[in-house]
Amino acid sequence: MVSRGGRFGWIVGALVVLGAAMPSRAQLDVSGEVFYHFMPIAWRDSDSDAQRFGDFGGMEDSLDYLDGLGVTAIWMNPVFPSPAYHGYQHGPADQLNPWFGTEAEWVSFVEAAHARGIKVFVDFVVYGISHNSVWYQSAFGNPGSQYDSWLAFTNGSNTNYQGYTFNTWNGSNVGFIHWDLRTASVANLITQWGQKWLDPNEDGDFSDGVDGYRLDHVWVQYGSGPDGWGYNLDDFWEPWKASLQQVNPDVFLFAEQADWGSMGAELLTAFDASMTKPFEFAARDALANENASSLYGAMASAVASVPGGRTFMGIIGDHDVDRLASVIGGSGYGRARAAAAVLMGQPFTPMIYFGDEIGMRGTKGNYGSDANDIPFREPFKWNAVAGPPMSNYWVLNNQAFNNAFSSNNDGRSVEEQEGVSGSLLE
């Protein structure tokens, strides 16, 4: 059994190496970047597998498009092993989901992106682990397991725990259990995972490594369990950032704050940026109602609250909310053009959600599984008529597929808009 007594060992080590009380500001300046966010399975296929899942080869093939769009940084949802189409509730983050390809193909994509001056960021869940993992399978129902103290069990027999199960889009059961991050061995493991992808071959050349991470569902102090299971800003996030800076001092971390009512400034002792969630909703309301007061008010609050040496990531669309075009409405693309101007004109680093640039639509469904969110995560429309290289992952859920917002020849594709004067994409 692993003792929790070593809780602070990794923290002290990280901070002593850096010679600082908390992580230093990243040297990477993102103020001039344009971020683009896509979901890997829905993005672009390269090998025509059965459902044409988006893959690493497709990501590399898409770089011409992204470069032409003016994108200088990519953020994608998790690429680690997970039975869920969106990649969350994933397993060990030192491995890649075979749906998307091999490590060599991943490195090839990253190197190709960097050769174009495009940075790469990956979503990472650190607060828990899939049931499809050695830690859960060893310790569930077995308090004598060497991993007993690694996981957030809430009874002595290890049959109750902080976590949950659900069904994903293809009927598979997804199980997830929280870590007990007070255990030093867990924190060390997650640190090693984060460090790996910064420099996969450990040669000090970061051209094959990610430039940083987007961290999911971040708290200052987690509200459940003993001391929040250690999932706290001072206990975990500040030393974790410091440990990653030991590998690459320029690593850039941005947080999705658990509290969407906050701009996330309270997290920026450990993070370089958070996401402008309140502005996202205010901007959508302003565009839908054609009344700018909420937009200006939310941005004024954001500007006033950002700490020195840190920043926010400007968003008006992402994978967790209904599609921008569906929310703001309007005839034609007038409001969508205004939305693009709002996003690209606000003072923080803009983040484009894939498909917003061609006016893709979608609102939450009611399908009895986490396929409910597929409508605003539909396959990116490369073509006027569905087919390669478009992903077809959603065919594995009949309800989402049969109630699609996208349709052939609907005008909302790259093929139908690229090079066409006056189109939303142009």
Side-chain angles (χ1 to χ4, degrees):
M1 187 176 297
V2 177
S3 168
R4 291 189 175 96
R7 173 183 176 190
F8 295 105
W10 78 288
I11 298 177
V12 172
L15 297 181
V16 166
V17 167
L18 286 175
M22 67 174 60
S24 62
R25 181 186 184 277
Q27 298 304 303
L28 181 63
D29 179 5
V30 300
S31 60
E33 307 288 353
V34 176
F35 274 65
Y36 190 93
H37 169 207
F38 61 69
M39 183 166 287
I41 199 171
W43 180 232
R44 185 178 176 114
D45 175 54
S46 68
D47 60 6
S48 294
D49 56 287
Q51 284 80 40
R52 299 197 306 271
F53 285 0
D55 54 34
F56 299 144
M59 292 180 194
E60 188 165 345
D61 292 342
S62 74
L63 291 173
D64 280 344
Y65 171 75
L66 295 173
D67 199 9
L69 194 61
V71 168
T72 64
I74 295 166
W75 155 42
M76 69 192 70
N77 296 84
V79 294
F80 315 117
S82 172
Y85 75 96
H86 43 68
Y88 294 101
Q89 295 83 33
H90 59 69
D94 60 344
Q95 302 172 26
L96 297 169
N97 195 325
W99 289 347
F100 306 140
T102 65
E103 185 167 335
E105 290 169 327
W106 167 255
V107 168
S108 176
F109 156 69
V110 173
E111 290 178 332
H114 284 163
R116 293 172 177 265
I118 297 175
K119 299 175 178 63
V120 178
F121 297 83
V122 178
D123 213 332
F124 191 1
V125 179
V126 308
Y127 54 89
I129 193 73
S130 169
H131 283 184
N132 298 332
S133 66
V134 63
W135 304 279
Y136 175 81
Q137 292 176 7
S138 169
F140 180 75
N142 178 23
S145 167
Q146 62 179 319
Y147 301 122
D148 169 63
S149 67
W150 289 44
L151 298 167
F153 291 111
T154 56
N155 66 345
S157 58
N158 286 8
T159 54
N160 297 330
Y161 56 88
Q162 184 84 35
Y164 49 85
T165 61
F166 62 89
N167 289 322
T168 190
W169 97 115
N170 62 358
S172 295
N173 182 264
V174 180
F176 186 72
I177 184 170
H178 284 226
W179 293 115
D180 188 341
L181 293 171
R182 300 174 301 161
T183 299
S185 298
V186 177
N188 284 329
L189 181 67
I190 296 169
T191 298
Q192 291 165 13
W193 291 347
Q195 289 174 330
K196 171 177 177 171
W197 301 112
L198 299 175
D199 184 12
N201 61 3
E202 300 182 347
D203 66 351
D205 177 357
F206 304 128
S207 63
D208 58 352
V210 300
D211 298 277
Y213 297 99
R214 181 263 198 189
L215 285 310
D216 185 64
H217 206 59
V218 176
W219 294 73
V220 172
Q221 174 77 30
Y222 191 65
S224 299
D227 193 25
W229 301 110
Y231 183 52
N232 310 316
L233 198 66
D234 56 348
D235 293 324
F236 179 79
W237 287 117
E238 290 176 0
W240 193 72
K241 170 69 182 297
S243 295
L244 266 57
Q245 287 180 309
Q246 292 178 43
V247 175
N248 183 353
D250 294 340
V251 63
F252 187 87
L253 304 182
F254 58 101
E256 180 227 9
Q257 58 271 36
D259 178 5
W260 284 4
S262 166
M263 291 289 182
E266 66 277 8
L267 304 174
L268 300 188
T269 58
F271 292 90
D272 302 296
S274 54
M275 305 173 78
T276 57
K277 292 298 290 189
F279 174 74
E280 176 181 34
F281 299 121
R284 288 164 162 246
D285 288 344
L287 290 157
N289 299 325
E290 298 187 1
N291 186 323
S293 60
S294 61
L295 177 117
Y296 288 119
M299 184 47 65
S301 296
V303 170
S305 67
V306 65
R310 298 298 201 256
T311 191
F312 293 137
M313 313 300 281
I315 56 171
I316 58 174
D318 63 56
H319 67 294
D320 284 326
V321 296
D322 289 344
R323 279 277 184 190
L324 180 64
S326 291
V327 171
I328 63 178
S331 58
Y333 292 109
R335 290 181 183 175
R337 291 190 184 94
V342 167
L343 177 62
M344 303 311 293
Q346 52 81 37
F348 298 116
T349 303
M351 307 186 81
I352 302 167
Y353 179 52
F354 82 109
D356 281 355
E357 77 274 25
I358 51 176
M360 288 181 65
R361 296 168 296 183
T363 59
K364 195 176 187 75
N366 184 22
Y367 306 140
S369 72
D370 77 338
N372 291 348
D373 293 338
I374 286 179
F376 44 81
R377 301 167 176 176
E378 291 184 356
F380 184 70
K381 290 202 66 184
W382 294 100
N383 310 339
V385 176
M390 285 175 55
S391 170
N392 199 35
Y393 84 93
W394 57 342
V395 75
L396 295 178
N397 186 279
N398 288 332
Q399 289 177 298
F401 184 76
N402 291 330
N403 290 284
F405 282 81
S406 297
S407 60
N408 291 335
N409 302 305
D410 62 3
R412 299 172 188 267
S413 70
V414 174
E415 182 181 354
E416 292 165 287
Q417 294 191 30
E418 193 167 43
V420 177
S421 178
S423 72
L424 179 60
L425 177 60
E426 290 301 311

